[in-house]
Amino acid sequence: MQAATQPPIPVTSSLHPNHDHSAISWIRMIAMFSIVVVHCVAFPPLPDSVTVHEAINYPIFNLMTEGQATAMLIYSQFLRFGSIHFFIVSGYLLGRNLTNYPPAHYYRRRLSTILLPFSVAFLIFCFKSIAFHRYTYPAESLDTLIAYVGEKLVFTLFHSPFWFVPNYFLSLAILLLCRAHLHKTWFAALLIGINILYGINVHLNLVASRHNLAVLGFVFFLWLGYTIARTKAISRSIQMVSYPVLAGITVFCFAGAVVEGLLLMNKQAGDPLNSIRITNQLFAISLFFLLARTNLLRYLPFMKPRQESFGIYLYHMFAVNGLIRLANGWKPLNALMYQPHYTGLTLIGISLFWGILSYILTLLFVKAVVASRFSWVMGVNTR
């Protein structure tokens, strides 16, 4: 895909199905990095009185100084595109492969590839959390423990990074059921309308507004990826927009997303960085096309996004949680956690440090497993 003017980085791939997956792999790698790093933001600890369910929508920015809150919101917003990009990438792969398989067969193939490694990681993560809870509260009654286990399973499935897979399969099922209408204008308008309503609801909060519960909202991004893969119209429209103009659009959308996030933060919204905000959707979409033109994957031959991204998604929270416990339990590392007197820039530096370290540790673990006979645990098919 060539821009109207030559971009600083030569384009080596396209978003059109006549070319390879290089740009998509690059986007997948960057998206996964953003997801890991955004889960390492140095927020202050919640009050002990806050329950698990209250923590989901707790206005955590209220616990910070104004300077800290503003800096962390801007930093977090910069990383708030990963989930949307993965849905677009998934839709792109759907568009590339759906002609080869009937919809039901394609759905079964995705289940067979994803469900087992997902279940293994999910159960290990839950068992680890339950075991630590039991160690912390050894005198807890059996009934209380059983209630905690049930709550933990539900919370982890729908309110932790594991939310992506059940949301993906439900969104994919909806899209495949509507296959006959995927190329119709009214269907596109319907999906756009639904996402606008979701964006408005982030402010009104008439129904649960967290992005992990916005199933219908992510159907649009699957459809968008499918459309990118199947039509020449998107590629031709991208060719008419120069790299500097596209970069300017992306920066403008980012600024808009920051402003909307600040407005929501001032309203004490529980999730001012909701991914389904209209401005964030525009930012993520424009950044998707910008990254496709800035493909640096050929300079990183040791990175294998197609083999490693799913494993990093499944296991990065093990590294994140382990490092948090290490930093909290080992006094010399306490300085690398949130402190009330730190500036916003200091907190950004600390957050980036933990994010990069978590990503590197998870990447090394995933590479080791992929190279072993247990590569299936990472969703890698060796047959």
Side-chain angles (χ1 to χ4, degrees):
M1 178 183 64
Q2 297 293 330
T5 59
Q6 184 66 28
I9 304 298
V11 177
T12 59
S13 65
S14 167
L15 294 181
H16 192 264
N18 291 333
H19 298 77
D20 60 32
H21 286 299
S22 179
I24 291 298
S25 293
W26 164 248
I27 292 170
R28 182 168 12 198
M29 188 191 77
I30 296 298
M32 193 65 257
F33 178 78
S34 77
I35 288 173
V36 175
V37 176
V38 82
H39 290 146
C40 299
V41 176
F43 284 127
L46 296 178
D48 293 336
S49 59
V50 176
T51 66
V52 172
H53 292 293
E54 291 172 341
I56 296 171
N57 292 305
Y58 192 89
I60 195 167
F61 288 103
N62 289 357
L63 302 177
M64 312 174 82
T65 67
E66 184 178 354
Q68 289 176 339
T70 301
M72 297 311 288
L73 184 140
I74 295 173
Y75 169 74
S76 300
Q77 173 57 55
F78 184 71
L79 302 165
R80 210 68 176 184
F81 59 87
S83 297
I84 290 177
H85 280 193
F86 265 106
F87 273 96
I88 297 176
V89 168
S90 298
Y92 175 87
L93 298 177
L94 171 67
R96 288 293 300 268
N97 293 292
L98 193 57
T99 54
N100 300 326
Y101 310 101
H105 182 69
Y106 180 84
Y107 196 81
R108 286 195 300 270
R109 279 176 58 87
R110 301 307 296 152
L111 280 173
S112 64
T113 302
I114 294 173
L115 195 57
L116 180 57
F118 171 81
S119 300
V120 171
F122 173 77
L123 292 175
I124 293 175
F125 187 85
C126 289
F127 178 80
K128 178 266 302 178
S129 301
I130 293 167
F132 183 81
H133 175 84
R134 187 60 173 173
Y135 174 80
T136 307
Y137 304 100
E140 189 176 60
S141 68
L142 181 60
D143 289 343
T144 303
L145 177 62
I146 292 174
Y148 172 81
V149 170
E151 184 180 72
K152 186 65 181 179
L153 291 172
V154 172
F155 181 88
T156 303
L157 187 59
F158 295 109
H159 299 289
S160 80
F162 287 100
W163 72 268
F164 177 88
V165 167
N167 200 313
Y168 162 71
F169 277 118
L170 186 52
S171 299
L172 180 60
I174 293 172
L175 201 68
L176 290 177
L177 287 173
C178 299
R179 184 187 182 186
H181 309 295
L182 297 184
H183 300 282
K184 296 180 180 177
T185 303
W186 68 262
F187 186 74
L190 175 63
L191 294 180
I192 293 172
I194 289 173
N195 276 36
I196 291 174
L197 290 177
Y198 270 122
I200 294 173
N201 183 65
V202 170
H203 292 265
L204 302 180
N205 204 31
L206 298 177
V207 297
S209 60
R210 291 191 67 86
H211 63 265
N212 52 302
L213 302 177
V215 177
L216 293 178
F218 287 102
V219 174
F220 167 75
F221 298 111
L222 274 181
W223 170 86
L224 179 61
Y226 172 89
T227 302
I228 289 170
R230 295 298 300 272
T231 70
K232 295 181 180 180
I234 298 296
S235 295
R236 289 172 178 170
S237 68
I238 294 302
Q239 291 173 4
M240 295 189 307
V241 180
S242 69
Y243 188 91
V245 170
L246 184 56
I249 292 172
T250 304
V251 171
F252 180 79
C253 292
F254 171 75
V258 169
V259 171
E260 186 177 14
L262 289 172
L263 290 173
L264 287 167
M265 183 180 73
N266 291 334
K267 291 168 60 176
Q268 298 189 14
D271 189 15
L273 290 169
N274 194 310
S275 295
I276 214 73
R277 285 170 296 138
I278 294 174
T279 53
N280 190 66
Q281 294 183 53
L282 296 175
F283 165 63
I285 293 171
S286 61
L287 182 62
F288 180 89
F289 290 114
L290 186 67
L291 287 174
R293 299 193 193 186
T294 317
N295 184 0
L296 303 178
L297 191 59
R298 65 188 182 280
Y299 298 117
L300 303 170
F302 53 89
M303 298 297 294
K304 309 294 181 185
R306 293 183 65 185
Q307 294 181 350
E308 298 162 354
S309 295
F310 188 48
I312 295 173
Y313 155 72
L314 290 177
Y315 290 95
H316 76 275
M317 286 306 296
F318 289 84
V320 172
N321 288 355
L323 290 173
I324 290 174
R325 295 194 190 282
L326 176 64
N328 284 328
W330 192 26
K331 195 170 183 179
L333 290 179
N334 288 169
L336 292 177
M337 300 297 286
Y338 173 86
Q339 302 295 336
H341 62 277
Y342 282 169
T343 66
L345 288 177
T346 301
L347 292 178
I348 289 176
I350 290 172
S351 300
L352 194 57
F353 167 78
W354 288 119
I356 293 173
L357 182 58
S358 297
Y359 182 83
I360 291 174
L361 292 176
T362 309
L363 176 64
L364 293 176
F365 170 72
V366 170
K367 282 183 174 293
V369 176
V370 168
S372 73
R373 60 178 178 173
F374 300 105
S375 58
W376 60 269
V377 174
M378 301 298 168
V380 177
N381 188 350
T382 58
R383 292 179 297 177

